[in-house]
Amino acid sequence: MKSKYLRRLILYSVILVTIPVISLGCLSYFKAKGIIQEKVNQGNMQVLVQTQLKVEQLLQTIDRSIAQFISSPIINQTIRSNLAEKDFQKITELTQTLSKLQSYDAGIQDIQLISLDTGWYLDNNGYLPFIPEADMRPFRNLAQLPVLSKWVTDDAASSSVQLVKKLPINTLNNPAGILVAHLPYSRLVKELPDHTVDSETVILDADYRQLTEITDPTFAPELMNTIIERLKGDHSTEGLSKVRINSASFGITYRVSPYNGWIYVSVVSIAQITKDSRAIGWYTLMICSAVLIILLTASLLGSRRFYRPIRTVFETVIAGKSADRNQPKDELALIGEHIVSLRSTQSTLLEQIQGQTQQLKEFFVRKLVLGELNAKEIQEKAQRFAYDLEGGAYCILTVQIDTLAHTRFKESDRDLLMFAINNIVSELVPAGNRLDPVLLGGNQVTLLKHGDEDQDGSKSRAYATGETIQSTVMSILGLSVSVGISRVYTSLASGAQAYRESLEALKYRIRFGEGAVLQVEDVLPDQRVHTIFPEWIEKQLIDALMTPDLDKARQLLREFLNLTIRENIRHQEYQMILFRLLADLLREIQNAGETLPLPDKQERQLFEQLIALKTVGETEQWFMGTIMEPMVSLMHKRWDTRNKNISDQMKDIIHHEFESELTLDVCAARLNYHPNYLKTVFRKETGVNFSDYLSQCRLNQAKRWLLETDMKIAEIAERLRYQNPQNFIRYFKKIEEITPGEYRKNHRGF
């Protein structure tokens, strides 16, 4: 069988060796090439700086000599005067001075002295007293330069550069004359560096006119035009650039003079400066080739040696499977398939065993907490499931969901939520500190195992575990849960008793509210407490329902429940108080001749519903929604008729017995109602209090007696039950704003 894996191993080794060697060789070559080019560029820039300094020194020397000459008195005396033959001495002196200026090693070719005012001309050829205006026009153009002195290039005089100075000195506008000194290009060439085979230096003026020529015949004729176009697009004072003419590349180093704006350019052939780098490239290639051959040989030998153990394993795997020898797969793929097959078979068997074991463990815990196992069976099964029961103590921790109301879950999700809570407990409590958590009767039950700590330490540890479970369920599921914790026992045989205690602890959630962690020892009363039923609150509650006043009834119900849970009584006694309250409310509804709007036989289920309530909030909500709100609705229907009759009876008593000692208590005793109830009914029906209505009735009767009889005011006050006449008179004046006597006088006319 051909070895695919060996070929891949060799190919990988070759690639692993080749790429670094080739990369290192290329990097070394290009790095050396770049360094050489950088050194050449630096050298060319230094040459340009030296050339610039030499040329500018020459130009400044000429400039200073000419400036000294034009500052002499003879120039100031003659430039504005009209020289004639009689002034031959001045002409001779000027000619000799100009000749001396040209005798210096500065290289001045000719000096022209022109008087613009009088038109005479003087140069190396002699003196002209007058030149035509046409010949004078170029000089007048030079006199229009915006500076006192400047080096200019004349297109007509293509072999020299000219220094122009206005006369007299420091005369910028309307000069009397000018002096023009001619410096030939050949003199500038002397200042250039010696020509080499790899570089050429050229000088351009500020208008990109070429002052020196490229002498190397190997450079292309159009090279200079290309360089000038490149420089016109670059406005920096110095820099590096590269141009390509045909198949040749040239490097350009340039520098702009701040003295006169001339541009100094160094042109170098890229092929010449890279000649040395090509030699380095060949040397690098030979070294890298030798290293590559050595590494490839080592990789080939090493790959074969590393492959031998894999080949041995491969032959063992496919032994006896001749059909597999021609399969298009490498050795590791076939070995991997074989291992995956073995692991898959192993995992399947392990999952089956673990699944059955887990189910058996949970079944064992359920039977344990339900009390269906004796001590011997507990010991045997605990050893079978590898539970460590040596020493320590145990307690039961039971978790219940408080409510699904106002959450994102529905009642149909309860089983799934309990399963999630069971998984959370399994993750939170280490396996060494518990038996397997189980779901039992809608509760999550965990049997905790404690170490050798004392009783208080075990309780504290169990309480901390309950708080951790509670906070984790809230953060993950957003549910409020309560936790009940049993006493600590030293034997698993007490598991059933511990489970009952944890459920008993959860019943006291009605006292402590939702989200509670309750230990049975803390919530159970230490001694028997006499149960107190708050009858006075119940009586006010019933009166509020009969009125009916639902808001007051809700307040009294809350007060009733809060007062009850403050008593340290057992949960069964608390439920008996609630049963009595429910029975009394149902009896009041029956006494009123009404029945709750409940379906058939549901009234018998009210007590069962009351038992299932877990918290004070649920209890209050159940009483309000199931009993009190329907009861108030029934009382509202009877209010108009019954209370109107009561109010009418009270008004009839007032109208007939206003002369007696009439009070609200007297009416309540006669009508057989509580005074507070009659007070509320009367005010609701009439809109005024009982005492105000009685006072108004007596006042009206006093007015009739004042108008219809001759009874004295004192007699009227006595009959209306005022303690003295003055009290009657003050009350009458307060209401009518006049005294009884004035009222009688005003209305009877005397």
Side-chain angles (χ1 to χ4, degrees):
M1 176 180 178
K2 296 181 179 179
S3 173
K4 289 187 176 182
Y5 180 74
L6 179 59
R7 291 199 301 270
R8 293 178 182 177
L9 186 61
I10 293 175
L11 179 61
Y12 175 75
S13 301
V14 169
I15 294 174
L16 190 63
V17 169
T18 303
I19 292 178
V21 173
I22 294 177
S23 300
L24 181 60
C26 293
L27 181 63
S28 301
Y29 170 71
F30 287 111
K31 185 65 175 179
K33 182 178 179 181
I35 292 175
I36 293 174
Q37 291 183 0
E38 183 178 358
K39 293 296 183 181
V40 172
N41 291 333
Q42 292 177 355
N44 290 339
M45 183 60 74
Q46 293 177 358
V47 170
L48 285 181
V49 172
Q50 294 175 0
T51 302
Q52 176 187 345
L53 293 176
K54 292 169 64 177
V55 172
E56 290 181 357
Q57 183 179 6
L58 173 64
L59 298 179
Q60 290 173 359
T61 300
I62 296 173
D63 195 342
R64 286 192 295 270
S65 299
I66 299 299
Q68 184 177 4
F69 167 68
I70 64 177
S71 300
S72 63
I74 189 173
I75 293 296
N76 295 326
Q77 295 172 3
T78 60
I79 195 63
R80 294 185 183 276
S81 63
N82 189 2
L83 294 180
E85 294 179 355
K86 61 180 181 177
D87 299 317
F88 69 94
Q89 291 182 350
K90 293 182 179 181
I91 295 173
T92 303
E93 184 178 354
L94 290 173
T95 302
Q96 292 176 353
T97 304
L98 294 178
S99 299
K100 291 179 180 180
L101 290 175
Q102 299 177 58
S103 64
Y104 291 115
D105 193 30
I108 299 176
Q109 185 180 26
D110 189 12
I111 297 179
Q112 297 171 318
L113 183 63
I114 304 98
S115 175
L116 300 176
D117 290 345
T118 59
W120 57 263
Y121 174 89
L122 183 65
D123 63 1
N124 291 341
N125 295 324
Y127 165 74
L128 293 177
F130 176 78
I131 58 176
E133 183 62 28
D135 296 336
M136 185 66 72
R137 188 174 295 110
F139 299 111
R140 294 190 185 279
N141 292 337
L142 292 176
Q144 300 300 320
L145 292 174
V147 293
L148 296 173
S149 175
K150 184 178 180 181
W151 287 93
V152 299
T153 304
D154 188 0
D155 292 335
S158 59
S159 62
S160 65
V161 61
Q162 304 168 5
L163 174 62
V164 179
K165 285 187 174 291
K166 296 180 180 181
L167 304 175
I169 192 170
N170 297 330
T171 302
L172 181 61
N173 298 320
N174 300 320
I178 62 173
L179 184 145
V180 180
H182 295 265
L183 181 68
Y185 292 160
S186 58
R187 181 64 183 87
L188 296 177
V189 174
K190 293 181 180 181
E191 303 300 327
L192 299 180
D194 295 337
H195 172 69
T196 61
V197 296
D198 57 350
S199 67
E200 188 81 35
T201 303
V202 180
I203 302 176
L204 304 176
D205 66 1
D207 296 325
Y208 300 99
R209 295 187 182 94
Q210 189 172 347
L211 304 182
T212 61
E213 299 291 339
I214 295 179
T215 59
D216 193 338
T218 60
F219 287 5
E222 64 270 19
L223 174 61
M224 203 62 220
N225 295 332
T226 304
I227 293 175
I228 292 174
E229 293 298 325
R230 177 66 59 85
L231 294 177
K232 287 181 178 180
D234 192 348
H235 302 288
S236 56
T237 57
E238 65 178 20
L240 304 174
S241 183
K242 184 184 291 186
V243 297
R244 187 174 182 84
I245 303 297
N246 298 328
S247 60
S249 296
F250 298 89
I252 303 172
T253 306
Y254 64 92
R255 179 180 177 86
V256 180
S257 172
Y259 171 66
N260 53 8
W262 288 6
I263 306 172
Y264 298 84
V265 183
S266 175
V267 184
V268 61
S269 174
I270 300 297
Q272 292 294 331
I273 63 176
T274 57
K275 181 171 60 177
D276 293 336
S277 62
R278 286 197 295 271
I280 295 175
W282 284 110
Y283 179 75
T284 304
L285 179 61
M286 289 186 293
I287 295 298
C288 292
S289 300
V291 173
L292 184 61
I293 292 173
I294 295 173
L295 293 178
L296 288 176
T297 303
S299 299
L300 180 62
L301 297 176
S303 298
R304 291 185 177 277
R305 183 162 186 173
F306 294 150
Y307 175 71
R308 290 175 186 172
I310 298 175
R311 185 68 183 181
T312 302
V313 176
F314 174 69
E315 294 292 344
T316 303
V317 170
I318 65 171
K321 298 181 180 180
S322 57
D324 293 339
R325 290 179 176 269
N326 296 323
Q327 291 184 359
K329 298 179 181 178
D330 61 22
E331 294 85 335
L332 289 184
L334 291 174
I335 295 173
E337 290 180 358
H338 185 71
I339 294 175
V340 169
S341 177
L342 292 177
R343 293 189 62 180
S344 176
T345 303
Q346 181 184 12
S347 299
T348 302
L349 294 175
L350 184 60
E351 288 176 0
Q352 292 177 354
I353 295 173
Q354 289 179 346
Q356 294 177 358
T357 303
Q358 184 64 32
Q359 293 176 0
L360 291 174
K361 285 183 176 181
E362 294 178 358
F363 184 66
F364 163 68
V365 175
R366 287 192 182 94
K367 296 185 70 175
L368 176 64
V369 299
L370 292 176
E372 299 177 0
L373 298 175
N374 55 38
K376 182 178 180 181
E377 291 175 331
I378 293 174
Q379 186 67 27
E380 293 176 353
K381 293 183 180 298
Q383 293 178 354
R384 180 187 304 174
F385 298 132
Y387 287 133
D388 183 13
L389 303 182
E390 296 295 331
Y394 306 90
C395 70
I396 295 289
L397 185 147
T398 301
V399 181
Q400 285 184 356
I401 297 175
D402 290 326
T403 180
L404 295 180
H406 309 295
T407 66
R408 65 180 187 273
F409 302 107
K410 301 178 182 178
E411 190 63 33
S412 57
D413 301 327
R414 182 177 292 273
D415 292 340
L416 184 60
L417 292 173
M418 292 305 303
F419 180 76
I421 293 173
N422 194 65
N423 290 336
I424 291 174
V425 174
S426 300
E427 294 292 333
L428 290 178
V429 184
N433 297 339
R434 58 168 172 79
L435 273 62
D436 287 69
V438 296
L439 297 176
L440 189 61
N443 305 318
Q444 194 283 318
V445 182
T446 306
L447 196 152
L448 298 179
K449 178 185 177 183
H450 304 283
D452 297 332
E453 61 261 29
D454 55 11
Q455 190 82 358
D456 292 337
S458 300
K459 290 175 58 178
S460 299
R461 181 177 172 187
Y463 189 86
T465 302
E467 286 185 326
T468 303
I469 294 171
Q470 190 180 68
S471 60
T472 305
V473 172
M474 174 59 71
S475 63
I476 295 177
L477 301 178
L479 287 177
S480 173
V481 298
S482 294
V483 182
I485 305 174
S486 70
R487 291 185 176 89
V488 178
Y489 293 92
T490 58
S491 174
L492 285 180
S494 303
Q497 176 64 24
Y499 178 56
R500 289 193 295 269
E501 289 178 353
S502 66
L503 294 178
E504 180 69 17
L506 284 170
K507 293 179 180 179
Y508 287 85
R509 181 174 23 177
I510 197 166
R511 178 187 301 170
F512 297 96
E514 297 180 355
V517 179
L518 306 172
Q519 290 183 317
V520 67
E521 294 175 293
D522 297 333
V523 298
L524 287 180
D526 296 333
Q527 57 185 357
R528 184 72 177 180
V529 178
H530 179 66
T531 304
I532 299 177
F533 185 84
E535 295 183 1
W536 65 95
I537 300 179
E538 183 192 49
K539 182 173 178 55
Q540 297 179 35
L541 173 63
I542 293 173
D543 288 343
L545 292 172
M546 292 300 179
T547 304
D549 188 345
L550 187 60
D551 292 336
K552 184 176 181 181
R554 179 183 286 106
Q555 180 180 356
L556 291 169
L557 175 62
R558 187 172 297 139
E559 182 180 352
F560 182 94
L561 296 176
N562 291 336
L563 179 62
T564 304
I565 63 174
R566 283 201 298 265
E567 300 293 337
N568 190 19
I569 59 177
R570 291 185 176 273
H571 181 71
Q572 291 83 354
E573 296 172 345
Y574 177 76
Q575 286 186 332
M576 293 304 298
I577 294 175
L578 297 182
F579 290 164
R580 178 178 172 182
L581 176 61
L582 176 59
D584 291 345
L585 293 177
L586 294 176
R587 183 172 60 254
E588 289 295 330
I589 295 174
Q590 293 175 357
N591 293 339
E594 302 290 345
T595 57
L596 289 176
L598 299 174
D600 294 342
K601 299 181 180 180
Q602 189 172 349
E603 185 172 341
R604 290 180 294 179
Q605 300 177 1
L606 293 177
F607 292 92
E608 297 177 1
Q609 296 176 11
L610 186 58
I611 294 175
L613 299 177
K614 300 175 182 177
T615 64
V616 174
E618 289 183 359
T619 305
E620 178 183 341
Q621 184 177 0
W622 183 85
F623 267 103
M624 290 298 299
T626 307
I627 305 298
M628 296 172 61
E629 290 179 358
M631 185 175 178
V632 168
S633 178
L634 293 174
M635 293 301 104
H636 265 297
K637 295 179 181 178
R638 302 186 57 195
W639 174 269
D640 293 337
T641 302
R642 184 183 65 181
N643 290 348
K644 189 175 185 307
N645 291 335
I646 294 173
S647 177
D648 290 342
Q649 292 177 26
M650 293 177 68
K651 288 191 291 183
D652 187 65
I653 293 173
I654 292 172
H655 291 159
H656 288 86
E657 302 181 21
F658 62 86
E659 297 185 37
S660 63
E661 292 290 342
L662 190 60
T663 62
L664 189 62
D665 292 334
V666 173
C667 293
R670 189 174 299 178
L671 298 178
N672 198 25
Y673 286 103
H674 193 278
N676 291 336
Y677 176 70
L678 290 183
K679 178 181 179 180
T680 303
V681 170
F682 190 83
R683 180 175 178 82
K684 188 172 185 65
E685 289 294 322
T686 62
V688 296
N689 293 330
F690 175 82
S691 59
D692 294 339
Y693 189 89
L694 177 59
S695 298
Q696 185 63 40
C697 180
R698 287 174 174 173
L699 181 62
N700 293 336
Q701 185 60 40
K703 290 179 182 180
R704 285 195 294 272
W705 286 342
L706 288 171
L707 297 179
E708 297 174 0
T709 69
D710 295 329
M711 294 175 59
K712 295 180 180 181
I713 293 175
E715 185 180 354
I716 293 174
E718 182 180 358
R719 291 186 64 178
L720 295 179
R721 298 300 174 181
Y722 284 94
Q723 295 181 357
N724 56 67
Q726 293 301 321
N727 290 341
F728 169 68
I729 293 172
R730 281 195 295 269
Y731 176 76
F732 192 94
K733 185 176 182 179
K734 177 182 178 182
I735 302 301
E736 299 295 330
E737 298 183 351
I738 57 176
T739 64
E742 292 172 345
Y743 180 85
R744 173 178 281 177
K745 180 179 179 180
N746 292 341
H747 288 81
R748 293 181 64 175
F750 60 86

